[in-house]
Amino acid sequence: MIVPDTLGGCSVTAIGNYAFYFKAEIARIVLPQSLRSIGDGAFSNCAGLEEIILPDGLESIGVDVFYCCYALKSIRLPAGLRSLGAGCFSYCPALTEIAVDPANPVFIEADGAVVDTSTRTLLAYPLAREATEFTTPAGVETIANYTFEGCGQLQHIVVGEGVREIGMKAFAYCDGLVDISLPSTFTDATGPFLYNCRALRDVTVHADNPVYAVVDHALYNTRDAELLFLPYSQVGREFTVPEDGYYAISMHSQQNFVRGINVYRKIYIDG
């Protein structure tokens, strides 16, 4: 499919939100050189999309734009791109490479990941990249929402020193993830970030972290007195919440028309 440069005598400069939503029959798309922005979810759930050519002058890509593009194998981010929304490549299980034009002054590719150098934010990672270990690149301070969502390849992740914030569901549904290490600088999670990681056995937190701690395998936010995460490997056994303070138990669910997630859990408290 080729999107024309003009429609009705007017230049095509934008693709609206969800414009191609669930168009599973499209395998290849060439976008016009006149294009400057792509709206949220524009190509989400295009399950058959294998290739898309982004124009050099493209400046903005919204959130969830390629969400659930199951067949997409690689993509090149052009030199003109200045804004890339969170969750752009969530659940793209065939994606092996996100290339960045070397002339782009904002984004770089580092160990497979896409980093916004202007905000020091790690924004995207190709879920099918053949690597089982990943350490966040030096200089990264934020991991955006949904960055690694649906990644089945990575087993060991080190969140490096300097990272301060981890976004909502940044590591959600990472089915192969076995262990993750969090730094002393990490002080802010914008939501549940270790969501439904069923293979995860070990979470470690740097001893000098002022906010987060692991006690008896459970991850706590000690500042807000909140129990955040207990590995699935620990479900079914008894464990004791620390006595020095009252702890809220964090329970999360999400449902919306794009992601369609609905979660129910039971917990029994004795005492």
Side-chain angles (χ1 to χ4, degrees):
M1 178 179 180
I2 299 176
V3 178
D5 288 285
T6 60
L7 286 173
C10 298
S11 294
V12 176
T13 59
I15 293 177
N17 296 349
Y18 306 101
F20 293 88
Y21 181 59
F22 259 109
K23 298 295 187 295
E25 70 279 6
I26 300 175
R28 184 175 187 268
I29 297 177
V30 178
L31 299 175
Q33 289 299 317
S34 57
L35 193 68
R36 295 295 177 265
S37 67
I38 300 175
D40 296 348
F43 301 100
S44 60
N45 289 276
C46 289
L49 184 63
E50 298 179 5
E51 182 183 13
I52 184 165
I53 308 299
L54 304 178
D56 292 336
L58 182 65
E59 298 174 355
S60 174
I61 297 176
V63 301
D64 283 347
V65 168
F66 300 104
Y67 175 76
C68 284
C69 288
Y70 298 124
L72 188 63
K73 296 179 176 64
S74 65
I75 193 167
R76 171 188 167 275
L77 303 181
L81 192 67
R82 297 295 182 269
S83 176
L84 180 67
C88 260
F89 304 104
S90 293
Y91 286 105
C92 293
L95 190 63
T96 60
E97 181 186 27
I98 307 170
V100 179
D101 191 304
N104 191 300
V106 175
F107 299 102
I108 61 169
E109 184 273 332
D111 198 16
V114 177
V115 176
D116 183 336
T117 60
S118 67
T119 62
R120 299 180 179 271
T121 300
L122 197 161
L123 282 168
Y125 184 84
L127 304 188
R129 187 171 185 265
E130 291 186 1
T132 59
E133 300 180 0
F134 181 81
T135 299
T136 56
V140 168
E141 295 182 356
T142 301
I143 300 174
N145 296 348
Y146 312 114
T147 296
F148 294 88
E149 185 180 30
C151 183
Q153 300 288 335
L154 291 175
Q155 299 175 21
H156 314 285
I157 294 177
V158 175
V159 179
E161 288 295 323
V163 173
R164 300 178 181 180
E165 179 180 322
I166 299 178
M168 168 83 74
K169 295 188 178 180
F171 303 102
Y173 297 96
C174 288
D175 294 336
L177 185 60
V178 174
D179 56 74
I180 186 169
S181 174
L182 303 174
S184 65
T185 52
F186 168 52
T187 56
D188 188 18
T190 58
F193 60 95
L194 294 172
Y195 186 88
N196 215 37
C197 296
R198 293 181 176 272
L200 185 57
R201 298 196 303 263
D202 189 23
V203 180
T204 59
V205 178
H206 194 285
D208 294 333
N209 190 298
V211 176
Y212 296 94
V214 172
V215 179
D216 196 14
H217 299 282
L219 177 64
Y220 292 88
N221 178 331
T222 59
R223 178 184 59 198
D224 299 329
E226 185 177 20
L227 193 163
L228 293 174
F229 179 79
L230 181 70
Y232 278 86
S233 61
Q234 303 300 313
V235 173
R237 75 169 184 84
E238 294 184 1
F239 73 100
T240 302
V241 175
E243 294 182 0
D244 53 340
Y246 294 96
Y247 282 83
I249 297 176
S250 179
M251 303 184 72
H252 303 275
S253 66
Q254 176 180 351
Q255 183 177 13
N256 61 46
F257 78 98
V258 176
R259 295 183 177 270
I261 296 170
N262 199 9
V263 178
Y264 299 94
R265 292 288 186 267
K266 290 182 179 179
I267 187 167
Y268 299 92
I269 300 175
D270 181 13

